[in-house]
Amino acid sequence: MIYLNDNLERFDVEAALPLLSEERRKQVLRYRHELGRKQSAAAYLLLCRALQQEYGIKKAPVFEYGEHGKPLITGRPDIHFNLSHCREAVLCAVSDRPVGVDVESIGRYKESLARYTMNDDEMAQIAAADSPDVAFIRLWTQKEAVLKLSGEGLRNDLKQVLVGFSGRLSTTVNEEKGYVYSVATP
């Protein structure tokens, strides 16, 4: 299940702090800027809501971390989740299978970055698109979601991430609010 908060301007960090685990509260307070605090707290609260609605878990989750730093819920290997955020939105996916998500702001298209991260077929898709900035971000979120699904994170061969991926990818574009998100599952 996907949980999304794209009203971060209304999110009250001070009201959220008592609802966070001690671990997450410390992490939130390490951010120097309010936006980082909002994103971190909002993502955690989306996870809490998802766990309550999907699994009946009311206790705030505590994390352990996998080999590549991907967080896991301590004592619940049957629950998979992934979090992501950008300036406009915070995203959480919870599943009984591995899942990877990425949300990104739609920004100005930079061909130099695209050439570094996209293969020839992807560059052709971007060039043929009505909105190259949206096409680039769509592909970027797909790549990052696939990498987060595996727990690898960003790597050097970004051009090949989607080549041969046999799982499922879904992408949502919200041009009105200025973001794109993708979800990857096996």
Side-chain angles (χ1 to χ4, degrees):
M1 293 298 292
I2 301 299
Y3 293 81
L4 176 77
N5 179 344
D6 59 6
N7 290 306
L8 292 176
E9 66 278 353
R10 293 185 181 149
F11 188 82
D12 184 347
V13 174
E14 293 304 316
L17 288 175
L19 305 173
L20 307 177
S21 70
E22 182 179 342
E23 170 191 41
R24 191 58 164 209
R25 191 171 29 258
K26 286 178 183 175
Q27 184 178 351
V28 165
L29 293 173
R30 273 186 242 151
Y31 286 94
R32 290 200 280 166
H33 300 286
E34 185 179 5
L35 180 59
R37 288 179 178 196
K38 282 183 176 187
Q39 292 166 329
S40 182
Y44 186 82
L45 290 179
L46 281 179
L47 175 61
C48 290
R49 188 171 94 205
L51 292 174
Q52 184 171 356
Q53 290 181 2
E54 304 300 322
Y55 297 92
I57 297 171
K58 294 180 181 175
K59 186 177 177 188
V62 175
F63 302 139
E64 56 188 66
Y65 297 90
E67 177 184 348
H68 299 288
K70 186 173 182 176
L72 310 162
I73 298 171
T74 301
R76 292 303 304 256
D78 57 318
I79 300 174
H80 301 269
F81 75 97
N82 203 227
L83 305 171
S84 184
H85 54 74
C86 67
R87 181 169 297 285
E88 292 76 20
V90 175
L91 181 66
C92 172
V94 175
S95 179
D96 59 356
R97 302 181 311 157
V99 61
V101 298
D102 186 45
V103 61
E104 298 287 341
S105 304
I106 298 172
R108 203 173 51 145
Y109 173 64
K110 295 180 182 145
E111 188 174 345
S112 60
L113 178 60
R115 291 215 174 278
Y116 182 73
T117 60
M118 303 292 159
N119 63 39
D120 291 341
D121 290 339
E122 293 162 345
M123 288 300 296
Q125 288 177 47
I126 294 167
D130 291 337
S131 298
D133 51 346
V134 173
F136 171 76
I137 292 298
R138 180 182 55 80
L139 288 164
W140 180 265
T141 63
Q142 289 175 353
K143 289 176 184 247
E144 204 164 325
V146 167
L147 291 170
K148 290 175 74 176
L149 168 67
S150 70
E152 293 178 71
L154 291 179
R155 60 184 196 204
N156 289 334
D157 61 342
L158 290 173
K159 291 182 179 189
Q160 300 304 310
V161 171
L162 298 178
V163 175
F165 176 67
S166 59
R168 183 171 177 263
L169 271 171
S170 64
T171 300
T172 299
V173 176
N174 188 327
E175 286 190 71
E176 181 183 323
K177 292 220 174 182
Y179 63 84
V180 175
Y181 72 84
S182 291
V183 179
T185 55

